[in-house]
Amino acid sequence: MSGAQDPTLPRRRIGEVWYVLFLSAPRVVAEGVRAHLEARRIPVHLETPFSLPEAYMGTYTGDVSLWVPEALYHEATLILERDHQGEAS
């Protein structure tokens, strides 16, 4: 199911692209997921509850939100599910 088909997922427009909320997690977990997805060419927008400096400097370690393009939501989910099961990507 794509993000567009799931009305429970928060959506927002970033530039010209629709993104959906992929997860909210502690910064250290979110950064790992972000790196994993970006290595597989899934763009990720990380957002802290604060202003931009904390987001880019990494000084905030609490929960952050990861947003992925709506069109790639299903692919991002499959990547994490497959890798969680221990299969090679």
Side-chain angles (χ1 to χ4, degrees):
M1 176 184 305
S2 75
Q5 296 170 338
D6 188 346
T8 63
L9 292 174
R11 296 173 73 219
R12 68 191 296 185
R13 196 171 187 155
I14 300 174
E16 295 295 319
V17 178
W18 281 102
Y19 279 69
V20 292
L21 180 63
F22 190 68
L23 67 84
S24 291
R27 180 74 180 248
V28 66
V29 172
E31 287 287 0
V33 171
R34 177 186 191 183
H36 195 70
L37 291 175
E38 287 180 342
R40 284 149 184 86
R41 299 183 182 219
I42 304 283
V44 177
H45 174 74
L46 184 141
E47 183 176 80
T48 69
F50 303 106
S51 63
L52 288 177
E54 290 86 358
Y56 292 107
M57 293 173 29
T59 57
Y60 175 72
T61 59
D63 284 354
V64 298
S65 300
L66 288 185
W67 297 78
V68 297
E70 189 172 41
L72 298 174
Y73 175 82
H74 182 66
E75 183 179 346
T77 301
L78 289 176
I79 287 169
L80 288 188
E81 286 175 357
R82 180 182 60 227
D83 293 345
H84 178 70
Q85 294 172 357
E87 298 175 14
S89 52

